Amino acid sequence: MKKYAIIVAGGTGSRMGSQTPKQFLLLRDKPVLYYTLKTFFDAYDDLQVILVLPVDYTDMGQEIIDAWFDQDRIRITAGGDTRFQSVKNGLELVEDESIVFVHDAVRCLLSTNLIHRCYEQTLETGSAIPALASRDSVRIVSEDNSDAIDRNTVMLIQTPQTFHSKLIVPAFQIDYKDKFTDEATVVEAFGMKVTLVEGEEQNIKLTRPIDMFIAERLLEQAVSIK
């Protein structure tokens, strides 16, 4: 089945403390976005990428594509004011019945194995949401109190969140709500259940400077193993 990867790189990365959006910061002399794109292209030869970028940084994104990738496999569209709108903009370029991956550009350490597992699960059940069990104690905080909950019931959600196009395309026609923190919550609001799959410990989201340090070490380790 045809495959699309919507790579969401619409953020500004204010928590990283850099004037440059974090998807363009360098890891081992290449931008974060390079590693994300390369892994998806390595996963499937017939996969098409839809790259969602901030309007002011489309030229920078194009430079990365020109330097390292086949332009025929990538289309760029502008991000919106919310993640929901950014993904919706990307979905407008999905032209065929397909499997659609939606991935955070700054989760650049995912493996091709995770992409393959998400694809296979989506063929079976219509969706695949990578998740890891919480290793930390968890509390729900209210205005006056905090209550401990069983961490065995808590799953930490990652991307690529993967769906059959027949699910995700119509789901994103519903009205936006503040609770839409990811694609799974949108599809559930549309009335469909989602399927969790095992995520990856190294599939971290680069949010703060410490995450860049960790990513550098993990990439160095990967190179040394090869």
Side-chain angles (χ1 to χ4, degrees), residues 33-142:
L33 182 58
Y34 162 84
Y35 297 98
T36 305
L37 293 172
K38 184 177 186 302
T39 302
F40 274 94
F41 285 136
D42 287 349
Y44 291 108
D45 291 338
D46 60 344
L47 179 143
Q48 296 287 318
V49 164
I50 298 168
L51 181 58
V52 185
L53 292 170
V55 174
D56 293 340
Y57 289 89
T58 53
D59 288 346
M60 191 175 292
Q62 189 63 55
E63 289 175 4
I64 294 171
I65 295 168
D66 293 344
W68 287 293
F69 300 107
D70 180 357
Q71 295 187 38
D72 292 338
R73 295 182 65 186
I74 306 179
R75 297 174 70 181
I76 294 176
T77 191
D81 294 334
T82 62
R83 181 188 179 89
F84 177 89
Q85 188 59 55
S86 292
V87 175
K88 186 174 182 177
N89 291 352
L91 287 169
E92 290 177 357
L93 300 181
V94 174
E95 299 170 340
D96 309 285
E97 184 174 321
S98 55
I99 301 299
V100 180
F101 304 89
V102 182
H103 188 66
D104 297 322
V106 292
R107 289 187 185 271
C108 62
L109 300 175
L110 82 162
S111 71
T112 56
N113 179 267
L114 177 59
I115 296 171
H116 292 162
R117 288 192 288 110
C118 287
Y119 176 79
E120 295 298 333
Q121 183 64 56
T122 302
L123 288 179
E124 291 184 25
T125 61
S127 64
I129 312 299
L132 290 176
S134 175
R135 296 182 297 181
D136 299 319
S137 296
V138 181
R139 283 182 171 264
I140 299 294
V141 178
S142 62

Side-chain angles (χ1 to χ4, degrees), residues 136-187:
D136 299 319
S137 296
V138 181
R139 283 182 171 264
I140 299 294
V141 178
S142 62
E143 186 174 336
D144 302 318
N145 198 13
S146 67
D147 298 300
I149 61 174
D150 182 359
R151 67 183 176 190
N152 293 318
T153 67
V154 175
M155 299 297 288
L156 307 178
I157 303 302
Q158 302 180 336
T159 65
Q161 298 192 8
T162 312
F163 305 88
H164 195 290
S165 60
K166 287 184 176 180
L167 290 183
I168 192 170
V169 172
F172 269 78
Q173 299 309 308
I174 64 178
D175 292 335
Y176 172 74
K177 296 179 177 61
D178 288 340
K179 70 177 182 178
F180 292 164
T181 57
D182 63 2
E183 294 66 56
T185 52
V186 178
V187 170

